[in-house]
Amino acid sequence: MTYQEVLDNARSHCTKCKVCPECNGYACKGKVPGPGGKGDGKSFINSVQYLKNIDIMMDPIYDNTAGQDTSIELFGKTLSMPIMGAPCGGSNLNFGSDVSEYDFIKGQAFGAQAAGTIGFTPDGPIDEFFIHGIELTKQVGGMAIPTIKPWKNERIIHHIRLAEEAGAVAVCCDVDSAGLINLKLMGKPVDPKSPKDLEELIASTSLPFIIKGVITPKAVKLAADLGAYGVVISTHGGRIIADAPATASMIVECRKAVGNRLKIFVDGGIRNGGDVYKCLALGADAVLIGRPVCHASIGGGAEGVEMYLNKIQSELVDNMLITGCNTLSQITPDKIRNRNTY
Ligand SMILES: Cc1cc2nc3c(=O)[nH]c(=O)nc-3n(C[C@H](O)[C@H](O)[C@H](O)COP(=O)(O)O)c2cc1C
């Protein structure tokens, strides 16, 4: 199976997503539920465009005896690459796919594991999304990160216990889901979390705790003060509000606000190894990728996801090779030129 065949296969299985050659937010504007960004799709499109307007500075004169090492230490484990699968649920609800929810999440989790990295698992209006993720976290020996919606704390803590029992390396709460229309439409609205709520959740577990769905330096600093292991700078792929800034545009300010006190991950519109490189040069520790991993899972199961992640890793290696980087820490701000005006 080639990656092109994986995409063609995904296209034949999806009725709500066109699986476009470039997954950029145009064809799916406003499709939430669905695969798109909210409203006119601007938040999603912004994130894709911002990354396009960053150049990578070639710098081919250096000693490359060591070669390129894309490995990274996270959650006390060594991952093969600074790239993880984002939590995504809704094979049928969001993609109109006939692949079962279980197989959809299985492809994401097993594919990430096969590529030597980690997939986050989803939560949603239908309880099975989370329960399947827990079952699959067990099956990949804990190398997955169950992500929990911002329900009432009592319910979240119950879900954290399930993640602990499954041996998960970390847990995550996507706090931005307080604005997610999918949950409201299905009669399961959730509220914003207060600092006190998050403090209680972080104290309730010894697992690294990740807060997903923040974009401001203020929120990232608060997450660090509360003892979070990391944050994901994320707008849920542009699905929460129509007018959020490009996620990558917030990395520099957020890093400045916290230094190295916590891990900064980012997602939104990251589509190739060059985009990963740019996010790292801006100051992110690692990235998450959502929709393209979903397409790979629908079209090729775990094999498709592994193939896709290996492809992105090899593109990252290509960029490191020609910019004088042997390790990820050498991907520094001077390696890029940012042509964005905001
Ligand atoms: C169909 C779909 C389902 C999603 N489900 C979840 C979820 O259950 N939990 C969550 O935290 N984020 C969810 N997200 C957001 C992703 O985790 C991620 O933030 C986003 O997809 C990143 O943008 P990208 O798809 O452009 O890479 C979902 C996104 C999509 C498109």
Side-chain angles (χ1 to χ4, degrees):
M1 190 167 41
T2 64
Y3 180 55
Q4 189 52 49
E5 285 165 352
V6 169
L7 291 181
D8 291 344
N9 197 26
R11 209 165 286 124
S12 73
H13 279 278
C14 291
T15 56
K16 293 186 185 169
C17 174
K18 293 192 186 329
V19 191
C20 300
E22 183 187 72
C23 175
N24 56 19
Y26 283 97
C28 54
K29 283 178 188 175
K31 290 194 182 162
V32 191
K38 196 168 183 184
D40 61 2
K42 197 177 124 208
S43 296
F44 179 2
I45 293 166
N46 269 351
S47 288
V48 174
Q49 289 304 327
Y50 187 88
L51 289 166
K52 282 192 194 299
N53 285 330
I54 297 176
D55 302 325
I56 297 177
M57 307 306 287
M58 291 166 58
D59 192 8
I61 305 175
Y62 69 108
D63 177 358
N64 192 31
T65 315
Q68 278 61 49
D69 179 4
T70 62
S71 68
I72 181 170
E73 300 288 321
L74 289 174
F75 324 109
K77 308 280 178 192
T78 305
L79 307 190
S80 61
M81 59 181 96
I83 307 160
M84 296 176 277
C88 286
S91 174
N92 183 264
L93 176 71
N94 290 312
F95 291 94
S97 146
D98 55 1
V99 171
S100 74
E101 190 67 24
Y102 183 80
D103 286 343
F104 175 58
I105 301 171
K106 184 177 176 184
Q108 298 174 47
F110 274 78
Q113 188 197 34
T117 182
I118 278 184
F120 286 61
T121 65
D123 193 3
I126 304 165
D127 288 349
E128 282 87 75
F129 288 16
F130 184 76
I131 298 305
H132 291 331
I134 288 293
E135 172 56 32
L136 288 157
T137 299
K138 278 184 208 153
Q139 291 186 28
V140 294
M143 291 296 279
I145 302 179
T147 305
I148 308 169
K149 294 283 173 212
W151 314 115
K152 298 269 180 254
N153 267 19
E154 201 185 352
R155 181 175 161 97
I156 298 182
I157 290 171
H158 175 256
H159 282 19
I160 290 175
R161 294 285 97 82
L162 296 179
E164 289 167 344
E165 283 161 29
V169 292
V171 280
C172 176
C173 178
D174 53 317
V175 293
D176 59 347
S177 274
L180 190 64
I181 190 80
N182 283 10
L183 295 172
K184 283 196 192 103
L185 287 176
M186 295 185 73
K188 297 208 170 163
V190 285
D191 285 319
K193 285 280 147 205
S194 71
K196 204 162 157 280
D197 288 335
L198 288 172
E199 197 171 18
E200 184 188 17
L201 295 174
I202 293 167
S204 76
T205 180
S206 57
L207 290 179
F209 193 96
I210 300 160
I211 299 175
K212 176 171 182 283
V214 291
I215 59 169
T216 63
K218 175 174 162 269
V220 173
K221 186 173 175 305
L222 181 62
D225 293 344
L226 292 171
Y229 175 87
V231 290
V232 187
I233 298 177
S234 173
T235 60
H236 232 88
R239 292 161 73 75
I240 304 297
I241 56 169
D243 291 299
T247 43
S249 75
M250 300 309 301
I251 300 171
V252 171
E253 284 171 67
C254 289
R255 176 60 78 196
K256 206 167 151 210
V258 289
N260 288 325
R261 288 171 62 207
L262 89 175
K263 301 290 179 198
I264 296 183
F265 308 134
V266 63
D267 72 20
I270 296 161
R271 296 293 175 260
N272 55 51
D275 290 343
V276 178
Y277 186 103
K278 293 168 192 179
C279 290
L280 267 49
L282 290 166
D285 290 292
V287 308
L288 279 58
I289 300 182
R291 296 170 179 94
V293 169
C294 297
H295 298 153
S297 179
I298 291 169
E303 193 188 339
V305 171
E306 180 187 5
M307 193 185 290
Y308 174 73
L309 290 171
N310 285 342
K311 173 179 167 301
I312 302 296
Q313 182 190 25
S314 100
E315 291 164 357
L316 175 61
V317 166
D318 289 349
N319 280 287
M320 290 171 69
L321 175 87
I322 212 66
T323 55
C325 298
N326 297 119
T327 62
L328 299 178
S329 62
Q330 290 169 335
I331 304 177
T332 43
D334 56 303
K335 305 276 182 184
I336 54 170
R337 192 178 54 175
N338 194 340
R339 288 184 284 107
N340 290 286
T341 49
Y342 73 101

